[in-house]
Amino acid sequence: MIAPIVGFSKLSKNKKIEWLVNTYFHSDEAVINTLKKYWNSDEKLQKLHDEFIENTISNFYLPLGIAPNFLINDQLYVIPMAIEESSVVAAASKAAKFWLDRGGFKATVLSTEKVGQVHFMYFGSTEKLHNYFNSIKSALFASTKHITQNMDKRGGGITDIILRDKTQELDGYFQLHCTFETVDSMGANFINSCLEQFAKTFEDGAKSFEAFSEKEKNIQIVMSILSNYVPNCLVKAEVSCPVNSLVKSDSIDAEEFANKFVRAIQIAKIEPYRAVTHNKGIMNGIDAVVLATGNDFRAVEAGIHAYAAKDGRYSSLTHAEVKDGIFKFWIEIPLSLGTVGGLTSLHPLVKLALEMLGKPNAKELMQVVAVAGLAQNFAAIRSLVTTGIQKGHMKMHLVNILNQLEATEVEKKHFINFFKDKTVTHSAVVNAFNAHKTAQA
Ligand code: MEV
């Protein structure tokens, strides 16, 4: 049985690796080599990455791809995407090119409100609590002046604090529901610092609020934390064109394509099994840009999926219609992003990603990310209702299968050519590869 280790975090990086390899890999030197192969030879750069998190033993690579030709609000963008899944970047690029010829994408930020809450328990008169809240509200703002100074200067700050009675759902449970404007930063640290100060001021102030009984003075703070649900931090992106310009070739009728496309969206609206996969495809685009630009993709994921269920049933994040001969396709999503703070100026590739986007502010980045999601969904639905998804996807995945088979560069070239007019499946590639090897032997 493996014994727990004490003081692991204090060990040097090499000692941590030594412990890992001795304990879980039978002291296999090859494991050490693999881990070290991914260390950067630039020691300063490696140290920077080591210190992003704790107990770092190596770097975990993801490819950084770019999707050019994105026309967004009449400006041409190249979009950076960090993702491991083949065919996502190709699909984005294809959708970008498609809409480039049809007027491009239009994107608008609808709102930018961030949220944080102080959750507390109070057992007493609700009226007295409301009176207390009204009496202390300005002190709550004042007590955070030292935290909000810089944000105020940048045009942000605390926009409101309201008292919410949640006792219908949980006995004694109330909240200070606080809203913020954090301008170009995602604002997590700012919001959490403000909330913790509110909690302290609110808890302390109750002790000297005369109308409270001794029991009522004892407000119990449970926790203070931002919310990743930001339904009032919304961005919309859309594309539209005449139905008859939707397809180029005669192989498919434009009207039939448009109707099938709209039908696919309707299905994702009413069928959660489909909606989850539909939205997963959207997140292929969104997460890749969020990650490349150093933002928190877990926060974005959680907030967007909650938004997809806001009407009581998990549903599609995109919408489509055909009206008066015009096809329109759009997305509306909550996005809390930053272009300053966090990793944005720390991670060299994040910095580069933001630079290739023209150093956007947070609102511009929201627009780019929403467009990436919409483009990804367009590409997926287009394939799904016409050729099927596997044709394009497996063509892109072919290289991964060949790499698994340890094909040489010459063999890869040969098989990419060989499968040009054939259906790619895992077994078809393995069989063809093995036959080729046997013939060579
Ligand atoms: C695969 O990563 C994403 C898709 O399944 C999305 C969809 O079905 O819409 C192709």
Side-chain angles (χ1 to χ4, degrees):
M1 209 175 94
I2 295 164
I5 178 162
V6 178
F8 181 72
S9 66
K10 307 265 180 326
L11 298 180
S12 69
K13 189 157 103 174
N14 277 321
K15 287 281 175 208
K16 282 180 183 130
I17 291 176
E18 199 179 299
W19 172 83
L20 176 78
V21 173
N22 290 344
T23 316
Y24 289 96
F25 292 94
H26 308 290
S27 310
D28 185 354
E29 282 288 321
V31 174
I32 301 180
N33 290 339
T34 302
L35 289 171
K36 291 195 174 175
K37 208 160 35 183
Y38 286 89
W39 286 9
N40 200 293
S41 54
D42 177 341
E43 281 181 23
K44 205 167 150 220
L45 187 69
Q46 185 53 55
K47 191 153 187 317
L48 181 76
H49 283 74
D50 285 353
E51 290 175 357
F52 283 158
I53 61 163
E54 309 75 39
N55 297 344
T56 307
I57 54 169
S58 190
N59 304 308
F60 191 90
Y61 286 5
L62 275 185
L64 175 67
I66 52 169
N69 297 325
F70 268 96
L71 187 64
I72 306 173
N73 296 341
D74 300 322
Q75 203 179 316
L76 209 52
Y77 288 86
V78 57
I79 299 191
M81 303 178 83
I83 187 159
E84 88 299 344
E85 186 175 332
S86 50
S87 82
V88 168
V89 179
S93 306
K94 220 169 149 189
K97 182 72 185 42
F98 182 94
W99 287 106
L100 176 69
D101 301 335
R102 290 163 180 80
F105 295 82
K106 300 277 169 273
T108 327
V109 170
L110 304 175
S111 51
T112 57
E113 182 186 273
K114 312 282 172 68
V115 177
Q117 298 172 318
V118 177
H119 306 268
F120 68 93
M121 309 308 283
Y122 165 84
F123 298 92
S125 151
T126 309
E127 195 188 337
K128 280 198 247 172
L129 183 66
H130 276 279
N131 290 341
Y132 169 59
F133 172 71
N134 290 332
S135 74
I136 194 125
K137 189 168 172 178
S138 58
L140 293 175
F141 279 93
S143 69
T144 52
K145 269 281 156 269
H146 62 291
I147 306 167
T148 60
Q149 253 167 16
N150 282 341
M151 191 61 88
D152 288 340
K153 271 188 217 146
R154 283 166 31 208
I158 305 155
T159 50
D160 203 3
I161 309 171
I162 59 169
L163 174 66
R164 277 182 163 182
D165 183 342
K166 304 292 279 185
T167 53
Q168 293 291 319
E169 287 140 276
L170 182 65
D171 192 27
Y173 171 38
F174 292 85
Q175 303 167 346
L176 296 180
H177 182 89
C178 314
T179 48
F180 302 85
E181 170 55 65
T182 60
V183 201
D184 288 329
S185 64
M186 192 262 192
N189 287 331
F190 169 74
I191 293 172
N192 287 334
S193 299
C194 288
L195 293 172
E196 289 187 4
Q197 182 60 55
F198 292 156
K200 192 172 178 323
T201 309
F202 195 67
E203 187 182 30
D204 289 351
K207 306 242 179 310
S208 50
F209 188 64
E210 281 182 2
F212 276 160
S213 68
E214 279 314 303
K215 185 178 159 214
E216 287 167 334
K217 282 180 179 166
N218 189 24
I219 281 174
Q220 298 157 32
I221 303 292
V222 181
M223 57 191 161
S224 311
I225 188 74
L226 96 166
S227 172
N228 291 123
Y229 187 44
V230 282
N232 294 318
C233 188
L234 283 182
V235 55
K236 183 178 175 187
E238 65 176 275
V239 285
S240 66
C241 72
V243 168
N244 59 18
S245 67
L246 267 177
V247 292
K248 270 192 191 137
S249 73
D250 292 338
S251 60
I252 177 167
D253 178 73
E255 206 165 313
E256 187 191 329
F257 169 73
N259 290 338
K260 228 173 155 188
F261 194 103
V262 171
R263 188 68 78 217
I265 305 292
Q266 285 168 342
I267 290 171
K269 276 183 194 271
I270 58 115
E271 168 54 58
Y273 277 94
R274 174 55 202 150
V276 171
T277 317
H278 177 94
N279 290 347
K280 186 272 179 188
I282 294 171
M283 299 315 289
N284 279 344
I286 290 179
D287 282 345
V289 189
V290 169
L291 201 54
T293 56
N295 276 279
D296 182 344
F297 65 92
R298 288 84 56 209
V300 166
E301 283 271 351
I304 288 184
H305 291 300
Y307 191 73
K310 70 178 190 318
D311 298 323
R313 173 169 63 191
Y314 190 88
S315 182
S316 168
L317 293 162
T318 51
H319 316 271
E321 66 175 26
V322 172
K323 218 165 135 190
D324 304 328
I326 301 290
F327 169 81
K328 190 171 147 195
F329 179 48
W330 71 102
I331 187 168
E332 193 185 280
I333 42 166
L335 274 176
S336 172
L337 301 175
T339 53
V340 297
L343 281 194
T344 53
S345 57
L346 217 51
H347 194 305
L349 284 177
V350 166
K351 221 171 139 201
L352 211 85
L354 288 167
E355 268 168 31
M356 73 175 86
L357 285 171
K359 296 192 181 162
N361 60 28
K363 281 186 180 172
E364 285 159 349
L365 186 60
M366 284 168 80
Q367 293 173 350
V368 169
V369 170
V371 163
L374 186 69
Q376 210 64 47
N377 192 226
F378 179 77
I381 302 298
R382 188 176 180 223
S383 295
L384 285 168
V385 301
T386 54
T387 56
I389 205 77
Q390 283 305 78
K391 192 167 175 245
H393 178 74
M394 289 309 281
K395 277 263 178 309
M396 301 291 163
H397 189 57
L398 174 60
V399 176
N400 287 337
I401 304 174
L402 291 168
N403 280 338
Q404 264 168 22
L405 296 168
E406 297 183 3
T408 63
E409 286 309 309
V410 175
E411 285 168 340
K412 278 196 242 176
K413 219 167 166 184
H414 168 78
F415 282 106
I416 288 167
N417 194 38
F418 177 80
F419 275 102
K420 254 201 171 105
D421 53 357
K422 295 177 187 63
T423 305
V424 180
T425 65
H426 192 270
S427 56
V429 179
V430 173
N431 289 342
F433 187 78
N434 287 342
H436 168 82
K437 284 285 186 207
T438 313
Q440 271 189 336

